[in-house]
Amino acid sequence: MTAGTAASRPTGVAAVLAVAVIQVLAIVVTAVLWFFHTVFAGGACGASCDGAAADAAGMLFIAAAVFDAAMR
């Protein structure tokens, strides 16, 4: 190092951004899993509930939402 120059130090911005990206990804994955668990009854169907019908209703809901999004 010569006189008058400062040593460059890493600022840690890349590490902070990497952690932020991982946190956002974890939140998105958790939200998607929660959504599909909720829409497809996720085993929360009671004894008198038709699980296949609940799953079919969930698939119909997803198809309608995708169709609606595609038509906008």
Side-chain angles (χ1 to χ4, degrees):
M1 189 162 81
T2 61
T5 60
S8 87
R9 293 185 190 163
T11 59
V13 173
V16 170
L17 287 176
V19 170
V21 168
I22 291 171
Q23 287 178 336
V24 168
L25 183 63
I27 290 169
V28 168
V29 168
T30 301
V32 168
L33 289 174
W34 172 83
F35 176 77
F36 281 109
H37 180 76
T38 302
V39 168
F40 291 108
C45 216
S48 63
C49 178
D50 183 6
D55 285 343
M59 287 186 279
L60 180 62
F61 174 79
I62 297 294
V66 169
F67 179 75
D68 181 56
M71 298 311 276
R72 289 183 186 240

